[in-house]
Amino acid sequence: MNDYREFVKPDPQSMTYGKYLKVHELLSLQQELSSPKEHDETLFIIIHQVYELWFKQILHELDNMEAMLSQDRLMGMTRSLSRISTIQRVLIQQIEILETMTPNEFNRFRSNLNPASGFQSYQFRVLEFRLGMKNIAHLNFFAHDPLAYQQIDSAMQKPSLYDHFFAYLARQGFAIPPTVLNRDITQVHEADPLVSRIFTDIYETPDTHYQLYVALEGLYDLDELLVAWRFRHVQMVRRMIGDMGGTGGSLGARYLQSTLSKSAFPELWEVRNLLGKPKV
């Protein structure tokens, strides 16, 4: 039989699990719009609130990665990269939970969402911009929300994670082209053949550049898992609403399908085409 006499009995002034995590406040945030309440709306809300919490943590890890790179601490950067990839796998798995809801069950409360849309997740837009996938047109959809607009615009005006990585490599003596180091950071970075060649050399001599090799693979994991999440998201949307338009006015699955070609780190994909080929 368990003996709980040694356990601390909290008083009203004590720090407790519930106080620290603000559990009462957290559990009050799931407010359904359906009337009478639809059973599955709670699942829909919780899944998307959890997504936003994970996006917040990923952005927090990106802050740390940029700080680590600025201090030339590559190992610290790769530790956060590993954590982000682990979170991304959780994001993909969460879609399976959402798919336990049938299309009919979703349609019972879907009309209440108009004109809300996942397209309006400002944290995801900040995440995309921080990774270099910038599109100034997206700012137009956040004019109604000054805080969101400011954060997206700030990400638009600042160097991306990739830009920080290029600056780190240049400080380590790698011949990153000036056109890459001094590019217009408000624009999407296009693959540079000289950078691709540098990355290929690192891949072909992993024993010499092991930490950099691990960092490049970590960046590739991040990019690949982002594509994998987009793909699973597309399939989930098709499963739920077919090819109907989204509640926010987008083309739904057809719009999401068009995002699958996005890449944060294009040279890391190009490396796969260069490995084993003679240098020109």
Side-chain angles (χ1 to χ4, degrees):
M1 183 175 180
N2 291 324
D3 184 352
Y4 296 107
R5 286 177 294 180
E6 299 299 321
F7 279 54
V8 173
K9 184 179 179 181
D11 59 46
Q13 285 73 46
S14 299
M15 174 57 69
T16 64
Y17 175 91
K19 281 184 180 179
Y20 181 69
L21 297 179
K22 300 189 182 300
V23 171
H24 293 306
E25 295 92 330
L26 181 65
L27 298 182
S28 71
L29 298 177
Q30 295 74 50
Q31 299 177 13
E32 304 95 324
L33 295 179
S34 54
S35 181
K37 291 183 178 180
E38 288 293 339
H39 173 76
D40 289 278
E41 189 175 3
T42 302
L43 173 67
F44 187 85
I45 292 171
I46 289 174
I47 287 286
H48 288 85
Q49 287 181 339
V50 171
Y51 269 130
E52 292 298 327
L53 289 173
W54 282 130
F55 291 158
K56 180 177 182 178
Q57 184 63 37
I58 292 174
L59 292 172
H60 184 57
E61 296 300 332
L62 286 178
D63 288 340
N64 185 61
M65 289 167 66
E66 292 176 2
M68 291 294 100
L69 286 172
S70 71
Q71 300 168 33
D72 294 341
R73 296 169 61 186
L74 188 62
M75 186 62 72
M77 177 260 200
T78 55
R79 289 186 69 241
S80 276
L81 258 181
S82 177
R83 179 174 292 170
I84 289 175
S85 293
T86 303
I87 293 170
Q88 287 178 288
R89 292 183 177 92
V90 172
L91 298 182
I92 293 169
Q93 290 174 339
Q94 282 187 183
I95 293 175
E96 295 182 20
I97 303 173
L98 197 56
E99 288 181 336
T100 64
M101 177 174 57
T102 69
N104 282 338
E105 289 164 343
F106 179 47
N107 281 322
R108 288 175 190 153
F109 65 86
R110 182 175 183 247
S111 62
N112 294 321
L113 306 180
N114 282 312
S117 167
F119 186 85
Q120 299 159 357
S121 169
Y122 83 85
Q123 285 200 117
F124 186 72
R125 293 300 164 213
V126 172
L127 172 58
E128 283 192 316
F129 282 26
R130 294 278 300 273
L131 294 177
M133 295 177 282
K134 301 180 179 183
N135 185 341
I136 196 170
H138 287 166
L139 283 164
N140 296 328
F141 299 97
F142 296 91
H144 67 286
D145 186 341
L147 177 61
Y149 188 97
Q150 185 277 325
Q151 292 195 42
I152 299 171
D153 185 54
S154 177
M156 168 68 76
Q157 304 303 327
K158 292 180 179 178
S160 70
L161 172 65
Y162 213 19
D163 293 317
H164 284 279
F165 188 66
F166 289 143
Y168 166 81
L169 289 174
R171 291 195 301 274
Q172 304 310 306
F174 289 91
I176 304 298
T179 52
V180 172
L181 294 174
N182 302 314
R183 71 183 192 86
D184 180 354
I185 59 173
T186 67
Q187 301 300 310
V188 174
H189 168 71
E190 301 291 342
D192 183 281
L194 295 179
V195 172
S196 297
R197 190 67 253 177
I198 290 170
F199 287 179
T200 303
D201 290 343
I202 293 170
Y203 268 87
E204 290 179 338
T205 56
D207 292 336
T208 305
H209 303 290
Y210 182 70
Q211 286 194 25
L212 274 174
Y213 171 80
V214 171
L216 291 179
E217 282 292 271
L219 290 170
Y220 187 89
D221 285 343
L222 190 162
D223 214 359
E224 182 183 37
L225 287 167
L226 188 55
V227 174
W229 180 79
R230 291 186 198 274
F231 177 77
R232 283 294 286 117
H233 190 201
V234 169
Q235 296 305 103
M236 181 272 293
V237 170
R238 293 183 67 195
R239 179 176 181 147
M240 290 293 175
I241 64 171
D243 291 322
M244 289 195 298
T247 48
S250 75
L251 295 176
R254 283 177 289 172
Y255 162 73
L256 294 171
Q257 193 88 35
S258 71
T259 68
L260 296 179
S261 61
K262 285 186 175 183
S263 173
F265 315 121
E267 286 90 352
L268 288 174
W269 298 83
E270 180 60 22
V271 161
R272 275 67 189 170
N273 298 322
L274 298 176
L275 287 172
K277 290 184 178 181
K279 297 181 182 179
V280 178

